[in-house]
Structures are given as C-alpha cells and as structure tokens.
C-alpha cells in the first residue's frame, strides 16, 4: 500500500476573499437605505407630533359639543374649533362663544372617562377633546357690566342696552325664565347658553361659589367654527346686537 500522505490545504486566492468582502459591503449598503428611511420617517413623525401639540396648546384645539345647551347654534356632538390667537391681541368680548374650564362643579353629571389611547390622541391634537371638564357658552357680560333680566319687553339688558337675541335664540324662546340683576366682577364673565331653557349656565350657579361668574383665566379659546359634520360646517361670528352703540362702557 502506498503510504498515506497529508494533503496541505491550498491557500485561498486573495481575489476570492476580496470578492466576499465586496459582497458584504454590498449587503451593508443594501441595508443602509432602509435604515435611513426608517430614521427619516421617525424624525418626520416626531416633528409632526411636536408641531401638532404646539398648535393645540397655542393656536387652536378641536372639541366635541357635549350637550344641547347651545342649540341650535351648536348641537350635541358637533365638532368645533376653539382658536386661541384672537385672545393674544384682544380681550374676551360680549357675543363670543367660548370654551372654558369648569369654574367649579358646573358639570355635576357623571361623564364617561376616555381611555388611554383616546387621551393620547386628544393631547397630541389628532382627536377632538371630548368636552370632559369643559363647557361651551356665549358671553353676555364682561367685567364691569350690569346684566339684568328682564326689561318690560322681556329682553336682557347690558349696561341699560336691550339685546335683540332673535338672531341666535330659538323662535319664541324667552331670553330667560330666571330673573337676575348682576354686576360682573373684573376679570370675570357672565355666560349663557343659546338654548336658554336647557342651559345650566351662569344663572344656575348664582347661589354657588363664584356667584355664577366665569374667571377669564378659565377660557380655553373662542369657538370660531363648526368643522364637523360636513353639513353643519360654518363660521361662528358675534351677533349684530352686541355691536350696538352705547353697549360698551
């Protein structure tokens, strides 16, 4: 038998190692565009969320209307936009429809608590606020105003000027079944719902803490428009009666 001999392994060609190295580099290059795309998309998403949060905090915020107290100017489940820019250069004025934080147990009914995902969506602004802890009413009197219900014609007066509320009250609706005579403190507001018979507004809280007045600091923004449903989309402007000469002191 021929003696067995060990066969020496031949060294691999340098060119072969170089080809494999280039292949690895190509695979790395193939992965890099995908990684870059993911990083780019994440960056854009984060920036979009940051911009949305900033807009919600300082520019405008969407809300659900929680009740029929503003019917039929607003109706339950309307989506409204509360803009905040106006109050950076002017004060809250008579006739404005405002969204404001509950000034003290006005919302005594139980409200459904939104889930975690809903809260996150509301916070970043991709979902309208459900109205939890907030109300929407019309400003009738501001600080220093004398608001009285009612004169001999059954009208509410502000600083002695009678309001013609037919523009926004329901046909044949009385301005108020509850008589009142109030002087609005500085830094506060007297608010009422347009659906007077169904609105637990300033009148309903005259005997409670705060006397039914809403602190201006509780105002979140001015309801400027209905944004949904599509057949109710409209701008919300102060009625003409609040532009009467002599109304402003």
């Amino acid at each position: 038998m021929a003696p067995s001999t060990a066969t020496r392994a031949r060294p691999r060609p340098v060119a072969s190692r170089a080809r494999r190295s280039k292949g690895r580099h190509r695979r790395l290059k193939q992965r890099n565009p995908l990684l870059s795309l993911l990083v780019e998309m994440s960056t854009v998403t984060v920036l979009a969320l940051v911009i949305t949060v900033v807009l919600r905090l300082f520019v405008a915020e969407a809300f659900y209307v929680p009740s029929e107290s503003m019917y039929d100017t607003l109706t339950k489940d309307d989506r409204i936009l509360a803009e905040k820019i106006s109050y950076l250069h002017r004060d809250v004025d008579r006739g404005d429809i405002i969204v404001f934080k509950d000034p003290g147990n006005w919302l005594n009914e139980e409200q459904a608590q939104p889930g975690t995902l809903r809260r996150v969506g509301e916070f970043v602004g991709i979902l309208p606020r459900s109205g939890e802890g907030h109300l929407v009413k019309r400003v009738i009197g501001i600080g220093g105003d004398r608001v009285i219900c009612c004169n001999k014609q059954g009208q509410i007066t502000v600083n002695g000027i009678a309001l013609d509320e037919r523009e926004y009250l329901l046909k044949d609706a009385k301005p108020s079944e509850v008589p009142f005579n109030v002087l609005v403190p500085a830094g506060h507001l007297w608010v009422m719902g347009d659906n007077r018979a169904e609105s637990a507004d300033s009148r309903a809280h005259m005997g409670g803490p705060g006397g039914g007045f809403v602190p201006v600091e509780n105002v979140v923004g001015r309801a400027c428009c209905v944004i949904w449903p599509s057949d109710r989309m409209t701008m919300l402007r102060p009625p003409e009666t609040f532009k009467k000469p002599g109304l402003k002191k």
Side-chain angles (χ1 to χ4, degrees):
M1 291 180 65
S4 61
T5 58
T7 303
R8 294 182 61 184
R10 294 180 180 180
R12 294 176 180 175
V14 174
S16 177
R17 289 198 298 271
R19 281 196 296 271
R20 283 197 297 274
S21 176
K22 287 181 180 179
R24 284 196 297 271
H25 284 308
R26 276 197 295 270
R27 286 195 295 274
L28 286 174
K29 287 180 180 178
Q30 288 173 354
R31 287 196 293 267
N32 282 339
L34 178 60
L35 181 61
S36 297
L37 178 62
L38 290 174
V39 170
E40 195 172 312
M41 289 177 64
S42 299
T43 302
V44 170
T45 301
V46 170
L47 284 174
L49 289 175
V50 169
I51 291 171
T52 302
V53 171
V54 170
L55 290 175
R56 185 187 73 79
L57 291 175
F58 301 107
V59 179
E61 188 171 359
F63 285 87
Y64 282 102
V65 175
S67 72
E68 298 286 355
S69 69
M70 285 293 294
Y71 186 81
D72 65 340
T73 305
L74 303 173
T75 192
K76 190 175 185 294
D77 291 333
D78 276 354
R79 277 71 158 175
I80 59 174
L81 195 65
E83 61 88 8
K84 308 179 182 187
I85 300 298
S86 293
Y87 297 148
L88 295 179
H89 60 81
R90 73 167 178 90
D91 295 330
V92 180
D93 206 354
R94 307 170 192 84
D96 289 353
I97 296 175
I98 59 169
V99 176
F100 58 97
K101 298 175 186 175
D102 188 341
N105 202 34
W106 284 29
L107 294 170
N108 52 16
E109 71 273 13
E110 288 294 324
Q111 293 190 339
Q113 299 297 313
T116 302
L117 289 177
R118 174 86 205 182
R119 286 183 181 276
V120 172
E122 290 178 0
F123 176 76
V124 299
I126 60 176
L127 292 174
R129 295 279 285 275
S130 59
E132 180 192 4
H134 293 79
L135 301 96
V136 56
K137 305 289 181 191
R138 189 182 298 278
V139 178
I140 303 298
I142 60 176
D145 284 347
R146 173 69 68 178
V147 187
I148 300 174
C149 177
C150 286
N151 63 13
K152 292 180 180 180
Q153 288 72 42
Q155 298 169 302
I156 290 176
T157 64
V158 178
N159 302 325
I161 305 297
L163 299 180
D164 183 355
E165 301 187 279
R166 290 174 295 178
E167 185 177 340
Y168 51 88
L169 294 187
L170 293 173
K171 185 178 179 181
D172 298 326
K174 293 183 178 180
S176 180
E177 296 281 1
V178 179
F180 55 84
N181 183 337
V182 297
L183 178 63
V184 185
H188 290 74
L189 308 166
W190 179 264
V191 299
M192 300 175 72
D194 287 357
N195 187 4
R196 298 290 163 79
E198 301 294 331
S199 178
D201 46 44
S202 289
R203 299 166 297 164
H205 302 279
M206 289 188 289
F213 302 109
V214 177
V216 172
E217 63 189 21
N218 283 36
V219 175
V220 173
R222 181 183 70 89
C224 62
C225 53
V226 178
I227 58 175
W228 195 256
S230 58
D231 61 341
R232 287 186 52 77
M233 288 182 180
T234 186
M235 299 299 293
L236 300 171
R237 296 182 176 87
E240 289 298 316
T241 191
F242 291 97
K243 301 175 184 178
K244 285 185 175 182
L247 187 62
K248 295 185 179 181
K249 298 184 71 174

